[in-house]
Amino acid sequence: MFRKKWWLLAALLIICLVVFYYVFANKPAGIDITAEVKKGNFKDIVVSPGELMAENTVYIQAPSGLQSNQIYEEIKIQDMAAEGITVKEGDYIATLDPAIVNKKIGDVQLELDRAITTLSQTSLDTTLQMRESRDAITNLNFQMDQKRLALELSKYEPPATIKQAELDLEKAQRDLTQLGEKYKIQTRQASAKMDQAAREVKRKQDQVTSLVELRDKFRITAPTKGLLVYIIDYSAGGKKKAGSAIRSWDPRLAMLPDLSSMMSKTYINEVDISKIKKDQKVTMGLDAFPEVKMNGIVTSVANIGENRPGSNAKVFEVLIKLEKVDSILKPGMTTSNNILINEVPNKIIIPLEAVFSEKVGDKTHSFVYQRRGNAIEKREVKLGKSNDEEVIVEKGLEPGDKVMMAEPASAKENKIVLLK
């Protein structure tokens, strides 16, 4: 009886060991990492990261008039309100450093003082010159009276004496006429000099006034209500802040985006840009909130490529409008844009990670590791279109088959089962 029980226990133990070996010890490495071959609609998509922005934005800029006042130097930002606050119209935004404008006012004020001195000197010079001309005319008039009297007294003199008196009077009259014409010209010249000097004074006065008004605008306020977002300063590698520079050719320092309508701006490489068309549908994710999924539509595709900072490759700007706006969305958030190029129905699809390749002779074969019972088979597949995640299998697999997501070491040296 005891021997029967012993043999029974021994047989059960052997059976358990065999089962354990085949189930666990002979289990190929990585067999748990499998994917089921499925049949469905294949989506041909282009994936590109983007950045959220408002469709409509009011920009806050340095006061206009920098260039018109011949200020081309960089203007420093002295102080700025905190980014991300909600402001109302007229709320404080920033203060600019007035040092350059103050220096300009000082320089122009010196020029104004010189212009006033020039105007005063011109007035004195022309007054003296005109007085001398008037005195000369008065003297000539007196000389003519003398010549006229001499002519009257010479009527009892010989004809030659009378003739000489007539000539003297005629010459005096001619000199007076010429001096009168010269006086008119001098009057016009004096008037022109005075006008020119007065205009220069007025120009400098206006310039000082304009500079003072410009300086008064260096305390910048919000033109409307909105969320305060600072402009990126590419030359400094960050956003505008206290100490950043404002340039006359780019006076923007902040913006007030309208968050009721938002877009994602992305850049597509020159290889894929030909696939992108207006009105294509987009599925969008947020890096900050992976659980949030949004829908959008392509609204704009650039016709001209550009080089982005840090890259020599040409890219094209693409704008995607969100169908619905959520309160968690903020300008500058990073998005993942899946632009739907085409959708092919009823296709056998597997993950890209399940596809491997190997060169046999002169030909490279694509294959998968397919689990068949306890064995793993390297099976050739004919592939179709692919996206960043999946690929179409035209031949070699059927829906429901299991394929390995990682290359198992135990089957790496197996021969590929080629398609017939």
Side-chain angles (χ1 to χ4, degrees):
M1 185 72 176
F2 176 77
R3 290 180 61 86
K4 283 186 176 181
K5 287 183 178 180
W6 185 87
W7 280 108
L8 182 60
L9 290 173
L12 290 173
L13 179 62
I14 292 172
I15 292 172
C16 289
L17 289 173
V18 171
V19 171
F20 178 85
Y21 173 79
Y22 278 102
V23 174
F24 296 101
N26 197 38
K27 185 177 181 180
I31 197 168
D32 288 333
I33 310 174
T34 61
E36 183 176 343
V37 179
K38 62 181 180 179
K39 189 172 186 179
N41 295 344
F42 173 79
K43 294 182 178 180
D44 184 8
I45 60 175
V46 171
V47 180
S48 178
E51 182 177 314
L52 281 181
M53 57 179 284
E55 184 176 9
N56 300 305
T57 299
V58 175
Y59 287 95
I60 301 174
Q61 306 185 113
S64 59
L66 293 175
Q67 289 185 331
S68 62
N69 282 285
Q70 299 179 353
I71 296 176
Y72 304 105
E73 299 92 338
E74 294 181 346
I75 304 294
K76 296 293 184 181
I77 302 173
Q78 275 189 339
D79 179 62
M80 296 183 79
E83 185 181 27
I85 63 173
T86 300
V87 297
K88 304 186 300 294
E89 182 179 354
D91 282 357
Y92 172 79
I93 299 296
T95 300
L96 304 183
D97 186 355
I100 292 176
V101 178
N102 286 337
K103 182 179 182 302
K104 188 75 173 178
I105 290 174
D107 294 341
V108 176
Q109 186 63 54
L110 289 175
E111 294 173 1
L112 174 60
D113 294 341
R114 286 195 290 268
I116 292 173
T117 301
T118 301
L119 175 62
S120 178
Q121 187 62 47
T122 302
S123 177
L124 291 174
D125 292 344
T126 54
T127 299
L128 180 60
Q129 184 181 28
M130 298 306 294
R131 181 181 297 172
E132 290 175 352
S133 296
R134 287 193 296 271
D135 289 344
I137 291 174
T138 300
N139 292 334
L140 272 179
N141 278 320
F142 180 73
Q143 291 176 17
M144 279 194 62
D145 290 341
Q146 289 181 324
K147 300 297 183 183
R148 194 176 292 109
L149 181 59
L151 178 59
E152 291 178 359
L153 294 175
S154 68
K155 60 182 178 179
Y156 301 109
E157 299 293 332
T161 302
I162 296 172
K163 185 63 176 176
Q164 184 62 50
E166 289 175 349
L167 290 174
D168 290 343
L169 178 59
E170 184 180 347
K171 181 178 181 304
Q173 194 169 12
R174 187 169 59 251
D175 289 343
L176 181 60
T177 301
Q178 291 176 349
L179 190 57
E181 294 296 330
K182 182 179 180 182
Y183 181 77
K184 291 179 181 179
I185 294 172
Q186 287 176 331
T187 301
R188 290 197 296 269
Q189 287 176 337
S191 179
K193 287 181 181 179
M194 287 296 296
D195 287 345
Q196 183 178 0
R199 282 197 302 271
E200 183 64 14
V201 170
K202 181 67 166 57
R203 190 172 72 86
K204 294 302 178 183
Q205 287 174 335
D206 291 344
Q207 196 171 351
V208 170
T209 300
S210 178
L211 286 166
V212 171
E213 291 176 352
L214 176 64
R215 183 180 60 187
D216 293 341
K217 297 176 183 176
F218 271 29
R219 185 183 186 278
I220 300 172
T221 58
T224 184
K225 67 177 182 179
L227 179 71
L228 182 61
V229 180
Y230 291 144
I231 295 293
I232 294 176
D233 188 351
Y234 291 105
S235 62
K239 290 190 174 183
K240 299 285 187 184
K241 58 184 179 180
S244 296
I246 296 293
R247 302 163 186 86
S248 58
W249 48 268
D250 185 15
R252 301 178 304 166
L253 60 94
M255 57 185 176
L256 299 173
D258 179 5
L259 302 184
S260 64
S261 177
M262 300 197 72
M263 310 187 79
S264 175
K265 179 166 67 174
T266 185
Y267 293 90
I268 305 297
N269 62 58
E270 54 190 331
V271 175
D272 292 327
I273 191 60
S274 61
K275 304 176 184 177
I276 310 300
K277 309 295 181 186
K278 190 176 178 181
D279 297 329
Q280 285 175 335
K281 294 182 179 180
V282 182
T283 303
M284 192 182 306
L286 285 176
D287 287 4
F289 302 97
E291 71 281 2
V292 176
K293 299 299 178 183
M294 302 170 292
N295 295 319
I297 189 169
V298 175
T299 59
S300 172
V301 181
N303 293 321
I304 300 176
E306 58 182 281
N307 289 104
R308 298 294 294 164
S311 174
N312 294 323
K314 287 286 186 182
V315 293
F316 295 77
E317 182 183 278
V318 173
L319 296 179
I320 302 164
K321 184 174 181 179
L322 275 67
E323 293 182 354
K324 186 179 179 181
V325 177
D326 194 284
S327 59
I328 65 172
L329 302 182
K330 304 295 182 187
M333 282 185 170
T334 304
T335 62
S336 175
N337 303 299
N338 298 280
I339 305 173
L340 180 61
I341 308 302
N342 189 24
E343 189 167 1
V344 185
N346 298 321
K347 289 293 182 179
I348 295 175
I349 305 168
I350 61 172
L352 272 177
E353 292 91 336
V355 179
F356 304 88
S357 64
E358 184 177 304
K359 192 169 185 179
V360 179
D362 295 332
K363 187 177 179 181
T364 300
H365 297 268
S366 297
F367 65 91
V368 297
Y369 288 99
Q370 184 179 3
R371 183 182 177 187
R372 289 181 174 270
N374 291 322
I376 299 175
E377 188 177 85
K378 290 171 69 173
R379 177 168 293 277
E380 184 184 16
V381 289
K382 181 181 178 182
L383 304 177
K385 290 184 177 181
S386 65
N387 56 33
D388 286 358
E389 297 179 353
E390 298 177 320
V391 62
I392 294 174
V393 178
E394 301 288 0
K395 189 176 181 182
L397 293 173
E398 296 295 333
D401 289 345
K402 301 285 187 179
V403 292
M404 310 287 292
M405 296 290 287
E407 187 173 48
S410 61
K412 187 175 181 179
E413 302 302 324
N414 293 355
K415 288 185 178 181
I416 301 174
V417 179
L418 301 178
L419 291 170
K420 295 180 181 180

